[in-house]
C-alpha cells in the first residue's frame, strides 16, 4: 500500500480518556469538541491552516474560554485528529485508508485559503497521482467512501475511484509487458520479471478475466453496483459481469452454496434475511438476460434461495425464465427444488418445474423448433436439446413419483407436457409410471389406464417390453399391446438378419471384377483395386461378426419363447395372464391350440436360424479362401 509522509515534528499529542492534549509546554487556549471527544489545542496553529476554524475562533474571541463544536465534520473525531496533527506539523502518514477522510475534512474546514501546500492540495495530489493509479489503493479508498457520504460524492471521489477501477478491470493485463496493477510483479518489456530493475529471467504468471472478482466483492453493494454499471458502459463482456455477480452472490447468500462447492469464495453470512432478499433481487436485475451467461446450477441455486427468502414474484418469475432458456444444461439434482410453501403438500415444487419446462418449450418454438420425425431423433438423440430435456423430465418424474401426496393430474400434466417427438424411447417414462403405480396402489383401473395412455408401446426397448409383460401393476390392455409389439420387434429383427445375409451373398463377384480391371488398367490400377478388395474384405468381416451376434441373440429369444410355451404345463401367455386378470377359465382345447401355434412358430424360427447359420458358415469359408 502506497503512502506519503507529511510533517517533520515528533508526536506531541497525548490522549487521556475522551480528551486529547498537545504537550508543547504552553497552556491550551481553545477546546474543539467533536462528538464525545474533546481536543485541547492552541489557536494559532489552527487558524494558520483553516479559514473555517479561524472564523469560528474570531466569533468566540470575546468569550473567556474558547470552545468550538464541530459535530458535522466528515469522519468525526478520527478525521479531526489527523487534521490537528497536520496543523501542528507533526509527522503523519498519508495512505489510501485515510486520504479520503483528510480530503473531505480539509474541504469542510477550508484548508486551502490560508497557506500554500495546505491539506487540500496535499491530499488531492496524493489521491490523483498515487491512489487512483493503483488497483488496490483505489479499492481501499472507495471502501472508505461509505463512511463519508455525501461529502465524498460531492468531491467526485467516488466517481473517480470507480472510473479508475473500471478502467483497470476492463483492460487485459496480459496484453502489456508490465502489470497495470500491483497484483503482478514488475516485468520488463520482454516479459521477464524485474528485481530492482534487473531481469531475473523468470516468466510472469498470466491473469484470467476473473482476477478482480474477489477484490470487488469486498465493496458494499451500492458501490459494487455502480462499479458493475460503469464496466457495462465500457463494453465489458456480459459473461464476465455474470461471473462477478455470481461470485458476489455466493459470498453473501449462504443458501446458494448448499449443494455446490464454494471453491475460493469465502462465505460471509453477516446479512440479515431482509438484506439477503434485497440483495438477491438486485442481483437478478443486474444479471444479463442472454442464454448461457450464468450457469444453470447457479440460477437454480438463486431460485431456491429466492423461495426460501420469499423474494418478490417478479424476481422468481425472472429466474424461472432464465432457467427455462437453458433447461437442457440442468442436472436432476439441481432440479429437485424443495417445496417451501405451507399451502402445498408435495415434497418438491412440481409447479415450478412445470413452469420452467413451459418456458423452455415456448423458447424452442420461438426459435423455429419443429417436430422432427422419429428416425431423425433416433439418429442423433444426444444432439437434440429437447431430447435432453425429455430425459431430464423423465428422471425428475421418477424422483417425485414415490411422493404419496402427489396427485395424478399433476403427475400426468408434467409427463404430457413433453412433446412425443422429444422421446426416442419411452423407457424413462415407463419407469416413472411404474414407480408411481407402485407408490399409489389405491388407484382405480380407470385411473391406471388413463395414466398408461401416456406410454407408446412401440417406443419401448426389448428390456422394457420384457419387464412390462410381467408387470402386474399395468392394466391388461397395456400388457396385450406390449406383447404384440414385442413379437413385432422380434420379427423385424429376424427379417433384418436375413437381409444382411442376402447382401453378404450378393457381394461375391468383387474378386473377379478386380482381376479384370487389373488386366486392362496396368500396374497402378491393379494396386488401387487390390486396396479396394482389402477394404471390401474388412467390411465383410465386420458384417459377418454382426451377423453372428444377431444369430446368438435370436437363438436366445427362441429358447425363451420355448420356455414360455412349456412353462406351467403349456398354455403360453393366455394361460398365465388372462385367467389371472379376468378370472376366466380357458378351455383345454384353446390351450392345446395355443401350444401348437407356439411350437409351430418355434420350429419355423429354428429352421430360419439354421438356414442363416449355414449362410454364415459359407461366408466364413469364402473369406478364408479369399485371404
Amino acid at each position: 500500500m502506497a503512502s506519503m509522509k507529511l510533517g517533520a515534528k515528533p508526536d506531541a499529542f497525548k490522549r487521556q480518556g475522551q480528551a486529547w492534549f498537545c504537550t508543547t509546554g504552553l497552556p491550551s487556549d481553545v477546546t474543539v469538541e467533536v462528538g464525545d471527544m474533546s481536543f485541547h489545542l492552541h489557536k494559532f496553529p489552527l487558524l494558520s491552516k483553516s479559514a473555517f476554524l479561524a472564523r469560528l475562533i474570531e466569533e468566540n474571541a470575546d468569550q473567556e474560554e474558547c470552545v468550538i463544536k464541530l459535530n458535522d465534520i466528515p469522519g468525526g473525531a478520527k478525521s479531526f485528529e489527523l487534521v490537528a496533527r497536520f496543523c501542528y506539523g507533526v509527522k503523519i502518514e498519508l495512505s489510501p485508508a485515510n486520504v479520503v477522510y483528510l480530503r473531505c475534512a480539509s474541504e469542510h474546514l477550508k484548508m486551502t485559503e490560508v497557506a500554500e501546500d495546505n491539506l487540500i492540495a496535499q491530499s488531492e495530489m496524493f489521491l490523483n497521482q498515487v491512489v487512483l493509479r493503483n488497483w488496490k489503493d483505489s479499492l481501499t479508498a472507495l471502501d472508505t467512501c461509505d463512511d463519508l457520504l455525501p461529502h465524498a460524492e460531492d468531491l467526485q471521489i467516488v466517481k473517480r475511484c470507480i472510473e479508475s477501477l473500471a478502467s483497470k478491470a476492463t483492460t487485459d493485463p496480459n496484453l502489456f509487458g508490465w502489470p497495470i496493477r500491483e497484483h503482478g510483479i514488475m516485468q520488463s518489456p520482454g516479459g521477464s520479471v524485474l528485481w530492482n530493475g534487473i531481469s531475473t529471467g523468470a516468466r510472469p504468471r498470466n491473469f484470467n478475466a476473473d482476477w478482480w472478482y474477489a477484490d470487488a466483492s469486498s465493496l458494499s453493494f451500492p458501490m459494487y453496483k455502480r462499479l458493475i454499471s460503469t464496466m457495462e458502459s465500457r463494453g465489458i463482456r456480459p459473461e464476465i459481469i455474470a461471473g462477478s455477480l455470481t461470485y458476489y452472490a455466493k459470498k453473501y447468500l449462504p443458501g446458494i452454496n448448499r449443494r455446490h462447492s464454494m471453491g475460493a469464495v469465502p462465505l460471509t453470512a453477516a446479512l440479515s434475511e431482509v438484506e439477503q432478499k434485497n440483495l438477491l433481487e438486485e442481483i437478478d436485475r443486474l444479471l444479463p438476460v442472454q442464454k448461457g451467461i450464468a450457469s444453470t446450477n447457479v440460477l437454480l441455486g438463486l431460485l431456491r434461495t429466492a423461495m426460501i427468502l420469499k423474494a418478490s414474484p417478479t424476481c422468481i418469475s425472472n429466474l424461472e425464465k432464465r432457467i427455462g432458456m437453458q433447461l437442457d444444461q440442468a442436472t436432476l439434482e439441481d432440479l429437485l427444488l424443495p417445496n417451501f410453501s405451507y399451502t402445498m403438500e408435495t415434497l418438491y415444487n412440481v409447479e415450478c418445474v412445470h413452469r420452467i419446462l413451459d418456458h423452455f418449450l415456448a423458447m424452442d418454438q420461438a426459435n423455429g423448433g419443429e417436430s422432427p420425425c422419429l428416425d431423425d431423433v433416433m439418429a442423433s438423440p444426444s444432439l437434440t436439446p429437447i431430447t435432453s430435456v425429455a430425459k431430464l423430465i423423465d428422471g425428475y418424474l421418477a424422483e417425485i413419483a414415490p411422493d404419496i401426496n402427489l396427485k395424478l393430474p399433476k403427475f400426468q400434466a408434467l409427463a404430457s407436457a413433453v412433446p412425443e417427438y422429444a422421446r426416442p424411447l419411452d423407457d424413462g417414462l415407463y419407469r416413472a409410471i411404474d414407480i408411481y403405480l407402485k407408490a399409489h396402489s389405491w388407484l382405480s383401473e380407470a385411473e391406471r389406464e388413463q395414466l398408461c395412455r401416456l406410454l407408446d408401446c412401440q417406443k419401448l426397448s426389448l428390456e422394457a417390453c420384457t419387464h412390462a409383460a410381467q408387470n402386474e401393476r399395468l392394466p391388461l390392455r397395456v400388457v396385450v399391446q406390449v406383447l404384440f409389439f414385442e413379437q413385432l420387434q422380434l420379427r423385424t429383427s429376424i427379417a433384418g438378419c436375413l437381409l444382411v445375409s442376402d447382401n453378404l451373398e450378393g457381394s461375391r463377384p468383387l474378386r473377379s471384377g478386380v482381376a479384370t480391371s487389373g488386366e486392362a488398367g496396368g500396374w497402378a490400377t491393379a494396386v488401387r483395386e487390390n486396396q479396394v478388395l482389402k477394404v471390401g474384405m474388412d467390411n465383410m468381416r465386420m458384417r459377418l461378426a454382426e451377423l453372428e451376434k444377431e444369430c446368438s441373440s435370436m437363438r436366445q429369444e427362441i429358447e425363451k419363447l420355448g420356455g414360455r410355451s412349456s412353462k406351467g404345463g403349456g398354455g403360453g401367455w393366455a394361460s398365465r395372464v388372462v385367467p389371472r386378470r379376468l378370472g376366466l377359465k380357458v378351455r383345454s382345447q384353446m390351450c392345446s391350440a395355443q401350444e401348437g401355434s407356439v411350437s409351430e412358430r418355434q420350429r419355423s424360427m429354428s429352421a430360419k436360424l439354421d438356414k442363416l447359420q449355414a449362410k454364415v458358415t459359407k461366408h466364413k469359408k469364402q473369406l478364408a479362401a479369399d485371404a
Side-chain angles (χ1 to χ4, degrees):
M1 183 180 293
S3 63
M4 184 174 72
K5 292 185 175 12
L6 300 178
K9 297 180 181 180
D11 191 4
F13 284 82
K14 182 179 180 181
R15 180 175 178 176
Q16 295 180 0
Q18 294 297 104
W20 280 95
F21 296 89
C22 183
T23 59
T24 58
L26 298 174
S28 172
D29 55 2
V30 61
T31 302
V32 180
E33 295 182 355
V34 183
D36 56 353
M37 188 71 68
S38 60
F39 295 84
H40 300 271
L41 307 174
H42 304 87
K43 295 180 181 180
F44 179 74
L46 299 180
L47 59 86
S48 65
K49 294 292 185 180
S50 169
F52 182 77
L53 291 176
R55 180 173 59 83
L56 293 179
I57 291 173
E58 184 180 356
E59 292 175 355
N60 292 275
D62 56 345
Q63 297 182 5
E64 183 177 350
E65 183 179 358
C66 183
V67 178
I68 299 174
K69 293 183 180 296
L70 294 177
N71 294 324
D72 55 350
I73 183 173
K78 177 181 178 181
S79 295
F80 188 77
E81 177 195 345
L82 295 174
V83 170
R85 291 173 183 273
F86 176 81
C87 292
Y88 277 84
V90 175
K91 290 187 295 185
I92 63 173
E93 185 172 320
L94 205 58
S95 69
N98 61 25
V99 65
V100 182
Y101 286 94
L102 287 172
R103 178 65 184 89
C104 294
S106 63
E107 184 71 23
H108 180 77
L109 297 174
K110 301 187 185 308
M111 300 181 69
T112 186
E113 301 175 357
V114 180
E116 295 182 358
D117 293 332
N118 210 339
L119 189 55
I120 287 181
Q122 296 280 7
S123 58
E124 189 69 25
M125 181 188 66
F126 180 74
L127 184 64
N128 290 330
Q129 298 184 6
V130 179
V131 174
L132 296 181
R133 294 184 178 183
N134 188 282
W135 167 268
K136 272 288 189 183
D137 293 345
S138 299
L139 196 72
T140 302
L142 181 60
D143 197 31
T144 62
C145 291
D146 285 321
D147 299 330
L148 298 166
L149 296 176
H151 305 282
E153 196 73 69
D154 296 337
L155 295 174
Q156 303 291 312
I157 298 176
V158 175
K159 180 180 179 181
R160 285 184 285 169
C161 289
I162 288 177
E163 290 286 347
S164 173
L165 292 171
S167 175
K168 293 174 175 61
T170 53
T171 304
D172 186 0
N174 297 314
L175 297 178
F176 299 90
W178 54 88
I180 61 171
R181 57 189 178 89
E182 81 292 344
H183 281 261
I185 308 171
M186 289 300 296
Q187 303 171 22
S188 67
S192 59
V193 177
L194 295 179
W195 182 81
N196 200 19
I198 302 175
S199 175
T200 63
R203 302 301 299 176
R205 59 174 181 165
N206 292 329
F207 296 100
N208 297 323
D210 61 351
W211 61 266
W212 54 274
Y213 287 1
D215 291 339
S217 67
S218 63
L219 296 171
S220 64
F221 189 76
M223 295 296 181
Y224 173 79
K225 181 180 178 180
R226 291 183 59 177
L227 176 62
I228 292 298
S229 300
T230 304
M231 289 182 180
E232 286 182 323
S233 66
R234 288 175 169 266
I236 194 170
R237 298 199 308 273
E239 56 268 23
I240 298 179
I241 294 295
S244 177
L245 288 168
T246 299
Y247 192 101
Y248 200 95
K250 286 184 176 181
K251 184 174 182 179
Y252 294 101
L253 299 175
I256 299 178
N257 308 291
R258 292 181 178 179
R259 292 192 180 185
H260 307 289
S261 173
M262 282 296 296
V265 183
L267 182 61
T268 302
L271 300 180
S272 65
E273 288 190 6
V274 175
E275 292 173 330
Q276 291 184 40
K277 171 179 171 292
N278 295 333
L279 174 61
L280 192 150
E281 292 174 353
E282 288 288 342
I283 289 177
D284 171 65
R285 296 188 191 101
L286 291 175
L287 271 176
V289 296
Q290 293 93 329
K291 176 183 178 181
I293 292 298
S295 63
T296 309
N297 59 357
V298 169
L299 292 175
L300 284 165
L302 287 172
L303 179 59
R304 182 173 58 250
T305 306
M307 293 176 179
I308 296 174
L309 298 174
K310 295 180 174 57
S312 65
T314 302
C315 175
I316 293 178
S317 178
N318 289 339
L319 290 172
E320 289 176 352
K321 291 178 182 178
R322 294 179 189 273
I323 298 169
M325 293 172 63
Q326 51 196 58
L327 183 58
D328 55 306
Q329 302 173 13
T331 62
L332 177 58
E333 181 183 7
D334 296 322
L335 203 62
L336 295 173
L337 300 171
N339 194 351
F340 298 104
S341 174
Y342 294 105
T343 60
M344 305 172 74
E345 298 179 353
T346 54
L347 180 62
Y348 297 106
N349 197 331
V350 183
E351 288 83 358
C352 177
V353 175
H354 199 161
R355 290 193 298 267
I356 293 173
L357 176 60
D358 289 339
H359 290 312
F360 174 83
L361 296 176
M363 184 205 65
D364 186 63
Q365 293 296 327
N367 292 337
E370 298 178 354
S371 302
C373 63
L374 182 59
D375 293 337
D376 295 337
V377 178
M378 290 292 291
S380 58
S382 61
L383 302 179
T384 309
I386 187 67
T387 305
S388 302
V389 171
K391 183 177 180 181
L392 177 66
I393 295 300
D394 288 346
Y396 180 79
L397 289 169
E399 288 293 329
I400 66 174
D403 187 358
I404 60 174
N405 293 323
L406 180 60
K407 304 301 181 182
L408 178 61
K410 188 177 297 185
F411 181 88
Q412 190 173 2
L414 181 59
S416 61
V418 179
E420 292 184 3
Y421 66 85
R423 292 187 176 100
L425 291 175
D426 274 10
D427 287 15
L429 180 59
Y430 166 70
R431 176 174 173 267
I433 290 176
D434 185 44
I435 296 175
Y436 187 85
L437 292 176
K438 184 177 180 180
H440 301 75
S441 57
W442 57 85
L443 292 178
S444 64
E445 189 73 13
E447 290 175 327
R448 292 171 182 267
E449 289 190 1
Q450 181 184 2
L451 180 59
C452 290
R453 287 194 183 98
L454 297 171
L455 282 174
D456 186 353
C457 297
Q458 299 184 65
K459 292 164 63 176
L460 293 178
S461 65
L462 286 174
E463 292 78 7
C465 286
T466 303
H467 184 276
Q470 303 174 1
N471 193 344
E472 298 181 358
R473 291 182 288 271
L474 296 179
L476 178 61
R477 180 187 60 84
V478 178
V479 174
V480 172
Q481 288 182 355
V482 167
L483 289 173
F484 173 76
F485 288 114
E486 183 182 16
Q487 295 298 322
L488 189 61
Q489 288 184 25
L490 188 58
R491 291 183 181 179
T492 304
S493 178
I494 294 174
C497 292
L498 295 177
L499 181 60
V500 170
S501 67
D502 292 339
N503 290 336
L504 285 174
E505 186 174 327
S507 62
R508 173 63 182 172
L510 180 62
R511 181 183 177 95
S512 60
V514 172
T516 304
S517 300
E519 295 174 356
W523 177 257
T525 304
V527 171
R528 288 195 300 270
E529 292 181 349
N530 282 334
Q531 293 176 351
V532 173
L533 175 61
K534 183 178 180 181
V535 173
M537 293 180 65
D538 291 340
N539 291 335
M540 288 181 63
R541 288 190 179 94
M542 293 175 61
R543 286 184 290 176
L544 184 59
E546 295 176 358
L547 189 59
E548 288 180 331
K549 185 177 180 180
E550 287 290 335
C551 288
S552 177
S553 176
M554 193 189 311
R555 189 175 296 277
Q556 293 178 3
E557 290 294 332
I558 292 174
E559 292 174 356
K560 186 187 299 184
L561 183 61
R564 182 182 299 176
S565 62
S566 61
K567 185 177 179 181
W573 170 79
S575 62
R576 291 186 292 107
V577 178
V578 177
R580 183 181 66 237
R581 292 193 175 264
L582 302 179
L584 301 178
K585 296 181 179 180
V586 182
R587 297 180 180 179
S588 59
Q589 291 85 354
M590 292 178 63
C591 294
S592 300
Q594 180 72 13
E595 182 179 2
S597 175
V598 173
S599 300
E600 182 179 355
R601 182 168 49 188
Q602 182 179 359
R603 287 194 297 271
S604 175
M605 293 175 64
S606 299
K608 290 182 180 179
L609 180 61
D610 294 336
K611 180 180 178 181
L612 183 59
Q613 188 67 42
K615 289 185 179 182
V616 171
T617 305
K618 178 180 178 181
H619 283 292
K620 280 186 177 180
K621 293 180 180 179
Q622 177 182 339
L623 284 174
D626 291 341

